[in-house]
Amino acid sequence: MKFLFIISTIFFFLSWNSLSEANSKIAFVDLNYILTKSINGKKILDQLNVINKNNLEILKKDKEVLAKEKNEIENLKNILSTEEYNKKKILFEKKIKNFNDKKSNLATELEKTKEKELNLFFDDLNSILKKYMQENSINVILDKKNIIMANVKIDVSEDILKLINKYDQTQ
């Protein structure tokens, strides 16, 4: 009898705790949508695309120059002495190394810029989400990509998009 009473009591407390947690308000937001549709997000993505495009153009021109130089060195192989040919070949290999270093540096700089700009954007978004949570008594906001299935009524992406665009206009 005592055993049944203890089990009933434990079941009651667990059920009561579950019912109190069921009243928690949850929402989700599509962070990718916010980034691609917000004023500041579009500006950041456009800026990153311009930097990437410029980097690719620079590297393409350098690559064409190197290809031309390689052909010239190969054409001079039979004309030049072995020693002179090897000197030109070593110089060309240094240019290739410099090209690869430049390519690596451009990629690193792009990543640093991307990380910096996106961190600033998501810091602003985070403060907006916190304020929105407090004003709307929301306990949890999840990223849409981590949700398998949910009611669209709890998607607050549009509300957050309006708030971040309003925030961007005041800055």
Side-chain angles (χ1 to χ4, degrees), residues 3-167:
F3 180 71
L4 187 58
F5 176 74
I6 291 172
I7 297 222
S8 299
T9 307
I10 291 172
F11 181 72
F12 172 75
F13 281 117
L14 289 176
S15 298
W16 183 65
N17 189 27
S18 296
L19 288 173
S20 66
E21 289 180 16
N23 293 330
S24 298
K25 198 167 179 188
I26 298 174
F28 68 90
V29 66
D30 187 347
L31 295 176
N32 190 46
Y33 175 78
I34 300 296
L35 178 64
T36 57
K37 299 297 181 187
S38 67
I39 295 167
N40 201 26
K42 285 180 186 177
K43 195 183 308 179
I44 291 168
L45 294 176
D46 288 344
Q47 175 189 0
L48 293 172
N49 284 333
V50 166
I51 292 170
N52 189 44
K53 190 174 182 180
N54 289 340
N55 289 350
L56 290 175
E57 284 295 318
I58 290 168
L59 293 173
K60 182 180 177 184
K61 288 177 185 176
D62 289 351
K63 193 173 184 178
E64 288 171 357
V65 168
L66 288 173
K68 195 175 194 180
E69 188 173 335
K70 181 180 180 181
N71 285 337
E72 288 174 3
I73 291 172
E74 288 299 317
N75 289 339
L76 295 173
K77 183 177 184 176
N78 295 331
I79 299 171
L80 297 175
S81 67
T82 308
E83 184 179 303
E84 193 66 33
Y85 174 76
N86 287 338
K87 283 182 185 178
K88 286 192 178 284
K89 194 173 175 184
I90 289 170
L91 277 172
F92 180 73
E93 288 170 359
K94 286 181 183 178
K95 288 180 182 180
I96 292 289
K97 184 187 177 311
N98 289 340
F99 172 79
N100 289 331
D101 290 344
K102 183 178 185 178
K103 183 178 177 181
S104 178
N105 289 338
L106 289 173
T108 302
E109 286 300 314
L110 178 64
E111 276 303 310
K112 285 180 184 176
T113 302
K114 179 180 176 182
E115 183 177 339
K116 178 186 163 205
E117 292 297 323
L118 290 178
N119 282 341
L120 290 172
F121 176 81
F122 284 112
D123 285 345
D124 291 343
L125 180 60
N126 193 28
S127 64
I128 289 169
L129 287 171
K130 284 179 184 177
K131 186 177 178 183
Y132 185 83
M133 283 178 69
Q134 291 170 348
E135 291 173 355
N136 294 286
S137 302
I138 297 174
N139 296 336
V140 178
I141 295 182
L142 302 170
D143 184 8
K144 184 178 181 179
K145 71 179 179 185
N146 295 323
I147 296 175
I148 296 171
M149 192 179 305
N151 189 336
V152 294
K153 292 179 184 176
I154 62 171
D155 183 358
V156 295
S157 300
E158 286 298 325
D159 296 338
I160 301 300
L161 179 62
K162 290 175 188 172
L163 289 173
I164 196 143
N165 282 338
K166 186 176 177 183
Y167 177 82

